[in-house]
Amino acid sequence: VRGLCPLKQILRQKEDNTLIFEARFESGNLQKVVKVNEFEYQLTLRTDLYTSRHTQWYYFQVSNMQAGMPYRFTIVNFTNRNSLYKRGLRPLLYSEADAKKHKVGWRRTGNEIKYYKNNAGQGGHQYFSLTWTFQFPHDLDTCYFAHCYPYTYSNLQEYLVAISKDPVKSTFCKIHILCHSLAGNIVYVLTITNPPESGKGTERKAVILTARVHPGETNSSWIMKGFLDYILGDSGTAQLLRDNFVFKVVPMLNPDGVIVGNHRCSLTGQDLNRKYRSNGKKCYPSIWYTRNMIKRVMGEHDVFLYCDIHGHNGKKNVFMYGCERKQQAKALYVHPRVFPLLLSKSCPDKFSFTDCHFRVQKSKEGTGRVVMWKMGINNSYTLEAS
């Protein structure tokens, strides 16, 4: 400071091949690393802030590597008993050198992948390990590992800026501030519909879509991006949908959790998808304002469909959770199943109707899907994707 004490330089010996790890960046998550031997490292993830659990999401940088050498990483503090890593899922790797030279982005990597119960359980917690071997493609590269393709709050903001600057899209997509999160980040809401011809448009039905209430489920943001790319496109079907519906979209319900690299919770250590019955406007602003916005929309339009988009860490495929009453008349009984069935007919290679469930469990009473259904939206769903 003021030239009085020079910054300490870390002088690396030429022959020191220890990997350098870093996760202090947006959405990053890694707590500590222990070097076991020359090419083997034991990694511990940071739990969601103010909790002692929810270790699933990881995203970290590695440098100072040697190409072609067999490295082994073992993450030792997962808390989920079941994992898709048991069923063929592989970690993701991104190489800056490959991205620059060959335009190669994220790719699946890893051999000898095992997910197993370990002996590190303490204080009543049971922990599970994920281990894999791999080789770095280049010497002294900068690489990243992640659980699923990262999608940060900054990615969303760049996407929304591009929409607002587009002379065509900005005519039928209006971006507003729904509220501010606890940390002061903007929670956005998009209204997408074609401008009505004079005197028309009030009878349009509404469709409400939300995503990323659980920060580690980045696949929900990619599905949301895919939906927005489509509905803002110039295809005949997109035009027809915008003529007939008003789409209300909240693309990122939990920006704080996304930024700090949480897996499931908000900054208060709470699962926001259990808070839709709460009146905690101060504690859970994005949930409170979303529910209020939906009530307002229900006063103006018939709401055809509500869907909250998630990622699933235990099951394969894309599928839905819906709601139905036990004592429904037979004809009405199939009603909440119709939309998922149509989805499975139109894309059978992606969407699995047999994985869908329509029970309303006690533990799910506070979720968006159940609360919106009880508010009167028949087609109220959670969309899950592996």
PDB file of all heavy atoms in Angstrom, residues 155-182:
ATOM      1  N   ASN A 155     -24.480 -14.448 -17.558  1.00  0.00           N
ATOM      2  CA  ASN A 155     -24.958 -15.006 -18.836  1.00  0.00           C
ATOM      3  C   ASN A 155     -26.387 -14.545 -19.111  1.00  0.00           C
ATOM      4  O   ASN A 155     -26.726 -14.157 -20.231  1.00  0.00           O
ATOM      5  CB  ASN A 155     -24.957 -16.540 -18.815  1.00  0.00           C
ATOM      6  CG  ASN A 155     -23.561 -17.154 -18.777  1.00  0.00           C
ATOM      7  OD1 ASN A 155     -23.355 -18.203 -18.167  1.00  0.00           O
ATOM      8  ND2 ASN A 155     -22.596 -16.500 -19.412  1.00  0.00           N
ATOM      9  N   LEU A 156     -27.224 -14.601 -18.077  1.00  0.00           N
ATOM     10  CA  LEU A 156     -28.625 -14.176 -18.238  1.00  0.00           C
ATOM     11  C   LEU A 156     -28.697 -12.695 -18.593  1.00  0.00           C
ATOM     12  O   LEU A 156     -29.427 -12.298 -19.499  1.00  0.00           O
ATOM     13  CB  LEU A 156     -29.414 -14.443 -16.950  1.00  0.00           C
ATOM     14  CG  LEU A 156     -30.842 -13.888 -16.952  1.00  0.00           C
ATOM     15  CD1 LEU A 156     -31.712 -14.614 -17.961  1.00  0.00           C
ATOM     16  CD2 LEU A 156     -31.466 -13.958 -15.568  1.00  0.00           C
ATOM     17  N   GLN A 157     -27.912 -11.869 -17.883  1.00  0.00           N
ATOM     18  CA  GLN A 157     -27.968 -10.430 -18.141  1.00  0.00           C
ATOM     19  C   GLN A 157     -27.533 -10.090 -19.570  1.00  0.00           C
ATOM     20  O   GLN A 157     -28.143  -9.260 -20.235  1.00  0.00           O
ATOM     21  CB  GLN A 157     -27.103  -9.691 -17.125  1.00  0.00           C
ATOM     22  CG  GLN A 157     -27.744  -9.665 -15.744  1.00  0.00           C
ATOM     23  CD  GLN A 157     -26.896  -8.911 -14.741  1.00  0.00           C
ATOM     24  OE1 GLN A 157     -25.731  -9.243 -14.546  1.00  0.00           O
ATOM     25  NE2 GLN A 157     -27.473  -7.916 -14.098  1.00  0.00           N
ATOM     26  N   GLU A 158     -26.481 -10.779 -20.044  1.00  0.00           N
ATOM     27  CA  GLU A 158     -26.035 -10.547 -21.434  1.00  0.00           C
ATOM     28  C   GLU A 158     -27.137 -10.917 -22.422  1.00  0.00           C
ATOM     29  O   GLU A 158     -27.376 -10.223 -23.417  1.00  0.00           O
ATOM     30  CB  GLU A 158     -24.775 -11.383 -21.727  1.00  0.00           C
ATOM     31  CG  GLU A 158     -23.511 -10.810 -21.109  1.00  0.00           C
ATOM     32  CD  GLU A 158     -22.367 -11.816 -21.099  1.00  0.00           C
ATOM     33  OE1 GLU A 158     -22.431 -12.830 -21.840  1.00  0.00           O
ATOM     34  OE2 GLU A 158     -21.406 -11.609 -20.335  1.00  0.00           O
ATOM     35  N   TYR A 159     -27.815 -12.019 -22.138  1.00  0.00           N
ATOM     36  CA  TYR A 159     -28.892 -12.485 -23.007  1.00  0.00           C
ATOM     37  C   TYR A 159     -30.033 -11.464 -23.058  1.00  0.00           C
ATOM     38  O   TYR A 159     -30.548 -11.141 -24.127  1.00  0.00           O
ATOM     39  CB  TYR A 159     -29.387 -13.841 -22.487  1.00  0.00           C
ATOM     40  CG  TYR A 159     -30.404 -14.515 -23.379  1.00  0.00           C
ATOM     41  CD1 TYR A 159     -30.007 -15.251 -24.492  1.00  0.00           C
ATOM     42  CD2 TYR A 159     -31.771 -14.413 -23.116  1.00  0.00           C
ATOM     43  CE1 TYR A 159     -30.933 -15.874 -25.307  1.00  0.00           C
ATOM     44  CE2 TYR A 159     -32.711 -15.029 -23.925  1.00  0.00           C
ATOM     45  CZ  TYR A 159     -32.278 -15.761 -25.025  1.00  0.00           C
ATOM     46  OH  TYR A 159     -33.200 -16.373 -25.845  1.00  0.00           O
ATOM     47  N   LEU A 160     -30.379 -10.922 -21.887  1.00  0.00           N
ATOM     48  CA  LEU A 160     -31.485  -9.966 -21.825  1.00  0.00           C
ATOM     49  C   LEU A 160     -31.123  -8.633 -22.483  1.00  0.00           C
ATOM     50  O   LEU A 160     -31.964  -7.995 -23.120  1.00  0.00           O
ATOM     51  CB  LEU A 160     -31.920  -9.745 -20.368  1.00  0.00           C
ATOM     52  CG  LEU A 160     -32.502 -10.973 -19.653  1.00  0.00           C
ATOM     53  CD1 LEU A 160     -32.891 -10.623 -18.226  1.00  0.00           C
ATOM     54  CD2 LEU A 160     -33.686 -11.561 -20.409  1.00  0.00           C
ATOM     55  N   VAL A 161     -29.854  -8.223 -22.349  1.00  0.00           N
ATOM     56  CA  VAL A 161     -29.399  -6.996 -23.023  1.00  0.00           C
ATOM     57  C   VAL A 161     -29.535  -7.149 -24.539  1.00  0.00           C
ATOM     58  O   VAL A 161     -30.006  -6.238 -25.239  1.00  0.00           O
ATOM     59  CB  VAL A 161     -27.935  -6.663 -22.632  1.00  0.00           C
ATOM     60  CG1 VAL A 161     -27.336  -5.639 -23.590  1.00  0.00           C
ATOM     61  CG2 VAL A 161     -27.878  -6.134 -21.202  1.00  0.00           C
ATOM     62  N   ALA A 162     -29.168  -8.342 -25.043  1.00  0.00           N
ATOM     63  CA  ALA A 162     -29.268  -8.595 -26.493  1.00  0.00           C
ATOM     64  C   ALA A 162     -30.721  -8.503 -26.965  1.00  0.00           C
ATOM     65  O   ALA A 162     -30.998  -7.970 -28.044  1.00  0.00           O
ATOM     66  CB  ALA A 162     -28.682  -9.968 -26.831  1.00  0.00           C
ATOM     67  N   ILE A 163     -31.657  -8.997 -26.156  1.00  0.00           N
ATOM     68  CA  ILE A 163     -33.077  -8.910 -26.520  1.00  0.00           C
ATOM     69  C   ILE A 163     -33.524  -7.451 -26.558  1.00  0.00           C
ATOM     70  O   ILE A 163     -34.167  -7.000 -27.501  1.00  0.00           O
ATOM     71  CB  ILE A 163     -33.967  -9.689 -25.514  1.00  0.00           C
ATOM     72  CG1 ILE A 163     -33.710 -11.193 -25.609  1.00  0.00           C
ATOM     73  CG2 ILE A 163     -35.451  -9.397 -25.755  1.00  0.00           C
ATOM     74  CD1 ILE A 163     -34.365 -12.004 -24.497  1.00  0.00           C
ATOM     75  N   SER A 164     -33.138  -6.696 -25.519  1.00  0.00           N
ATOM     76  CA  SER A 164     -33.602  -5.301 -25.428  1.00  0.00           C
ATOM     77  C   SER A 164     -33.031  -4.443 -26.561  1.00  0.00           C
ATOM     78  O   SER A 164     -33.636  -3.449 -26.950  1.00  0.00           O
ATOM     79  CB  SER A 164     -33.239  -4.712 -24.064  1.00  0.00           C
ATOM     80  OG  SER A 164     -31.843  -4.639 -23.922  1.00  0.00           O
ATOM     81  N   LYS A 165     -31.873  -4.837 -27.088  1.00  0.00           N
ATOM     82  CA  LYS A 165     -31.261  -4.063 -28.180  1.00  0.00           C
ATOM     83  C   LYS A 165     -31.765  -4.514 -29.557  1.00  0.00           C
ATOM     84  O   LYS A 165     -31.462  -3.868 -30.561  1.00  0.00           O
ATOM     85  CB  LYS A 165     -29.737  -4.217 -28.130  1.00  0.00           C
ATOM     86  CG  LYS A 165     -29.092  -3.421 -27.007  1.00  0.00           C
ATOM     87  CD  LYS A 165     -27.584  -3.564 -27.053  1.00  0.00           C
ATOM     88  CE  LYS A 165     -26.912  -2.674 -26.017  1.00  0.00           C
ATOM     89  NZ  LYS A 165     -25.470  -2.948 -25.914  1.00  0.00           N
ATOM     90  N   ASP A 166     -32.474  -5.639 -29.604  1.00  0.00           N
ATOM     91  CA  ASP A 166     -32.947  -6.167 -30.886  1.00  0.00           C
ATOM     92  C   ASP A 166     -34.219  -5.414 -31.292  1.00  0.00           C
ATOM     93  O   ASP A 166     -35.223  -5.441 -30.576  1.00  0.00           O
ATOM     94  CB  ASP A 166     -33.243  -7.661 -30.745  1.00  0.00           C
ATOM     95  CG  ASP A 166     -33.575  -8.311 -32.075  1.00  0.00           C
ATOM     96  OD1 ASP A 166     -34.588  -7.909 -32.687  1.00  0.00           O
ATOM     97  OD2 ASP A 166     -32.837  -9.228 -32.501  1.00  0.00           O
ATOM     98  N   PRO A 167     -34.184  -4.721 -32.472  1.00  0.00           N
ATOM     99  CA  PRO A 167     -35.323  -3.870 -32.849  1.00  0.00           C
ATOM    100  C   PRO A 167     -36.621  -4.653 -33.055  1.00  0.00           C
ATOM    101  O   PRO A 167     -37.708  -4.107 -32.875  1.00  0.00           O
ATOM    102  CB  PRO A 167     -34.866  -3.211 -34.164  1.00  0.00           C
ATOM    103  CG  PRO A 167     -33.744  -4.078 -34.660  1.00  0.00           C
ATOM    104  CD  PRO A 167     -33.096  -4.692 -33.467  1.00  0.00           C
ATOM    105  N   VAL A 168     -36.525  -5.916 -33.417  1.00  0.00           N
ATOM    106  CA  VAL A 168     -37.737  -6.716 -33.636  1.00  0.00           C
ATOM    107  C   VAL A 168     -38.217  -7.344 -32.328  1.00  0.00           C
ATOM    108  O   VAL A 168     -39.356  -7.173 -31.905  1.00  0.00           O
ATOM    109  CB  VAL A 168     -37.485  -7.822 -34.700  1.00  0.00           C
ATOM    110  CG1 VAL A 168     -38.734  -8.675 -34.892  1.00  0.00           C
ATOM    111  CG2 VAL A 168     -37.070  -7.189 -36.022  1.00  0.00           C
ATOM    112  N   LYS A 169     -37.314  -8.070 -31.651  1.00  0.00           N
ATOM    113  CA  LYS A 169     -37.718  -8.796 -30.440  1.00  0.00           C
ATOM    114  C   LYS A 169     -38.233  -7.862 -29.351  1.00  0.00           C
ATOM    115  O   LYS A 169     -39.156  -8.202 -28.607  1.00  0.00           O
ATOM    116  CB  LYS A 169     -36.537  -9.619 -29.895  1.00  0.00           C
ATOM    117  CG  LYS A 169     -36.184 -10.815 -30.768  1.00  0.00           C
ATOM    118  CD  LYS A 169     -34.952 -11.551 -30.274  1.00  0.00           C
ATOM    119  CE  LYS A 169     -34.604 -12.670 -31.251  1.00  0.00           C
ATOM    120  NZ  LYS A 169     -33.326 -13.306 -30.932  1.00  0.00           N
ATOM    121  N   SER A 170     -37.643  -6.670 -29.263  1.00  0.00           N
ATOM    122  CA  SER A 170     -38.039  -5.755 -28.185  1.00  0.00           C
ATOM    123  C   SER A 170     -39.460  -5.220 -28.375  1.00  0.00           C
ATOM    124  O   SER A 170     -40.035  -4.651 -27.447  1.00  0.00           O
ATOM    125  CB  SER A 170     -37.053  -4.593 -28.082  1.00  0.00           C
ATOM    126  OG  SER A 170     -36.960  -3.924 -29.324  1.00  0.00           O
ATOM    127  N   THR A 171     -40.055  -5.438 -29.570  1.00  0.00           N
ATOM    128  CA  THR A 171     -41.439  -4.978 -29.767  1.00  0.00           C
ATOM    129  C   THR A 171     -42.439  -5.924 -29.105  1.00  0.00           C
ATOM    130  O   THR A 171     -43.524  -5.508 -28.709  1.00  0.00           O
ATOM    131  CB  THR A 171     -41.798  -4.860 -31.268  1.00  0.00           C
ATOM    132  OG1 THR A 171     -41.636  -6.148 -31.877  1.00  0.00           O
ATOM    133  CG2 THR A 171     -40.926  -3.834 -31.967  1.00  0.00           C
ATOM    134  N   PHE A 172     -42.098  -7.212 -28.987  1.00  0.00           N
ATOM    135  CA  PHE A 172     -43.053  -8.148 -28.377  1.00  0.00           C
ATOM    136  C   PHE A 172     -42.509  -8.819 -27.106  1.00  0.00           C
ATOM    137  O   PHE A 172     -43.165  -9.669 -26.514  1.00  0.00           O
ATOM    138  CB  PHE A 172     -43.515  -9.209 -29.391  1.00  0.00           C
ATOM    139  CG  PHE A 172     -42.406  -9.924 -30.111  1.00  0.00           C
ATOM    140  CD1 PHE A 172     -41.638 -10.890 -29.482  1.00  0.00           C
ATOM    141  CD2 PHE A 172     -42.138  -9.635 -31.447  1.00  0.00           C
ATOM    142  CE1 PHE A 172     -40.627 -11.548 -30.148  1.00  0.00           C
ATOM    143  CE2 PHE A 172     -41.121 -10.299 -32.123  1.00  0.00           C
ATOM    144  CZ  PHE A 172     -40.364 -11.257 -31.469  1.00  0.00           C
ATOM    145  N   CYS A 173     -41.311  -8.423 -26.669  1.00  0.00           N
ATOM    146  CA  CYS A 173     -40.775  -8.934 -25.406  1.00  0.00           C
ATOM    147  C   CYS A 173     -40.390  -7.751 -24.526  1.00  0.00           C
ATOM    148  O   CYS A 173     -39.431  -7.038 -24.824  1.00  0.00           O
ATOM    149  CB  CYS A 173     -39.563  -9.831 -25.653  1.00  0.00           C
ATOM    150  SG  CYS A 173     -38.802 -10.420 -24.121  1.00  0.00           S
ATOM    151  N   LYS A 174     -41.131  -7.535 -23.471  1.00  0.00           N
ATOM    152  CA  LYS A 174     -40.851  -6.436 -22.543  1.00  0.00           C
ATOM    153  C   LYS A 174     -40.181  -6.984 -21.285  1.00  0.00           C
ATOM    154  O   LYS A 174     -40.686  -7.933 -20.669  1.00  0.00           O
ATOM    155  CB  LYS A 174     -42.138  -5.706 -22.162  1.00  0.00           C
ATOM    156  CG  LYS A 174     -42.907  -5.150 -23.371  1.00  0.00           C
ATOM    157  CD  LYS A 174     -42.092  -4.130 -24.149  1.00  0.00           C
ATOM    158  CE  LYS A 174     -42.830  -3.638 -25.392  1.00  0.00           C
ATOM    159  NZ  LYS A 174     -41.917  -2.970 -26.342  1.00  0.00           N
ATOM    160  N   ILE A 175     -39.040  -6.406 -20.912  1.00  0.00           N
ATOM    161  CA  ILE A 175     -38.276  -6.875 -19.749  1.00  0.00           C
ATOM    162  C   ILE A 175     -38.484  -5.894 -18.599  1.00  0.00           C
ATOM    163  O   ILE A 175     -38.244  -4.694 -18.748  1.00  0.00           O
ATOM    164  CB  ILE A 175     -36.780  -6.982 -20.100  1.00  0.00           C
ATOM    165  CG1 ILE A 175     -36.586  -7.950 -21.272  1.00  0.00           C
ATOM    166  CG2 ILE A 175     -35.974  -7.448 -18.884  1.00  0.00           C
ATOM    167  CD1 ILE A 175     -35.213  -7.874 -21.919  1.00  0.00           C
ATOM    168  N   HIS A 176     -38.957  -6.399 -17.469  1.00  0.00           N
ATOM    169  CA  HIS A 176     -39.198  -5.545 -16.304  1.00  0.00           C
ATOM    170  C   HIS A 176     -38.494  -6.105 -15.074  1.00  0.00           C
ATOM    171  O   HIS A 176     -38.093  -7.266 -15.049  1.00  0.00           O
ATOM    172  CB  HIS A 176     -40.705  -5.424 -16.025  1.00  0.00           C
ATOM    173  CG  HIS A 176     -41.452  -4.719 -17.108  1.00  0.00           C
ATOM    174  ND1 HIS A 176     -41.367  -3.363 -17.312  1.00  0.00           N
ATOM    175  CD2 HIS A 176     -42.284  -5.187 -18.072  1.00  0.00           C
ATOM    176  CE1 HIS A 176     -42.125  -3.011 -18.342  1.00  0.00           C
ATOM    177  NE2 HIS A 176     -42.686  -4.116 -18.821  1.00  0.00           N
ATOM    178  N   ILE A 177     -38.378  -5.253 -14.055  1.00  0.00           N
ATOM    179  CA  ILE A 177     -37.826  -5.696 -12.773  1.00  0.00           C
ATOM    180  C   ILE A 177     -38.987  -6.218 -11.932  1.00  0.00           C
ATOM    181  O   ILE A 177     -39.923  -5.471 -11.627  1.00  0.00           O
ATOM    182  CB  ILE A 177     -37.113  -4.529 -12.054  1.00  0.00           C
ATOM    183  CG1 ILE A 177     -35.889  -4.077 -12.857  1.00  0.00           C
ATOM    184  CG2 ILE A 177     -36.711  -4.938 -10.635  1.00  0.00           C
ATOM    185  CD1 ILE A 177     -35.215  -2.817 -12.318  1.00  0.00           C
ATOM    186  N   LEU A 178     -38.939  -7.508 -11.587  1.00  0.00           N
ATOM    187  CA  LEU A 178     -39.964  -8.071 -10.709  1.00  0.00           C
ATOM    188  C   LEU A 178     -39.714  -7.607  -9.274  1.00  0.00           C
ATOM    189  O   LEU A 178     -40.620  -7.175  -8.574  1.00  0.00           O
ATOM    190  CB  LEU A 178     -39.932  -9.602 -10.787  1.00  0.00           C
ATOM    191  CG  LEU A 178     -40.931 -10.350  -9.902  1.00  0.00           C
ATOM    192  CD1 LEU A 178     -42.355 -10.132 -10.397  1.00  0.00           C
ATOM    193  CD2 LEU A 178     -40.622 -11.841  -9.847  1.00  0.00           C
ATOM    194  N   CYS A 179     -38.435  -7.706  -8.838  1.00  0.00           N
ATOM    195  CA  CYS A 179     -38.047  -7.274  -7.490  1.00  0.00           C
ATOM    196  C   CYS A 179     -36.524  -7.323  -7.413  1.00  0.00           C
ATOM    197  O   CYS A 179     -35.861  -7.651  -8.394  1.00  0.00           O
ATOM    198  CB  CYS A 179     -38.658  -8.181  -6.416  1.00  0.00           C
ATOM    199  SG  CYS A 179     -38.106  -9.896  -6.505  1.00  0.00           S
ATOM    200  N   HIS A 180     -36.002  -7.008  -6.233  1.00  0.00           N
ATOM    201  CA  HIS A 180     -34.575  -7.181  -5.981  1.00  0.00           C
ATOM    202  C   HIS A 180     -34.399  -8.300  -4.959  1.00  0.00           C
ATOM    203  O   HIS A 180     -35.203  -8.445  -4.039  1.00  0.00           O
ATOM    204  CB  HIS A 180     -33.943  -5.885  -5.462  1.00  0.00           C
ATOM    205  CG  HIS A 180     -33.780  -4.845  -6.530  1.00  0.00           C
ATOM    206  ND1 HIS A 180     -34.812  -4.015  -6.914  1.00  0.00           N
ATOM    207  CD2 HIS A 180     -32.717  -4.516  -7.313  1.00  0.00           C
ATOM    208  CE1 HIS A 180     -34.384  -3.206  -7.885  1.00  0.00           C
ATOM    209  NE2 HIS A 180     -33.123  -3.485  -8.149  1.00  0.00           N
ATOM    210  N   SER A 181     -33.335  -9.079  -5.132  1.00  0.00           N
ATOM    211  CA  SER A 181     -33.040 -10.164  -4.200  1.00  0.00           C
ATOM    212  C   SER A 181     -32.479  -9.589  -2.898  1.00  0.00           C
ATOM    213  O   SER A 181     -32.241  -8.387  -2.790  1.00  0.00           O
ATOM    214  CB  SER A 181     -32.013 -11.117  -4.826  1.00  0.00           C
ATOM    215  OG  SER A 181     -30.761 -10.441  -4.905  1.00  0.00           O
ATOM    216  N   LEU A 182     -32.224 -10.457  -1.928  1.00  0.00           N
ATOM    217  CA  LEU A 182     -31.665 -10.009  -0.643  1.00  0.00           C
ATOM    218  C   LEU A 182     -30.343  -9.284  -0.831  1.00  0.00           C
ATOM    219  O   LEU A 182     -30.037  -8.328  -0.132  1.00  0.00           O
ATOM    220  CB  LEU A 182     -31.450 -11.207   0.291  1.00  0.00           C
ATOM    221  CG  LEU A 182     -32.698 -11.855   0.883  1.00  0.00           C
ATOM    222  CD1 LEU A 182     -32.305 -13.006   1.791  1.00  0.00           C
ATOM    223  CD2 LEU A 182     -33.526 -10.842   1.659  1.00  0.00           C
TER     224      LEU A 182
END
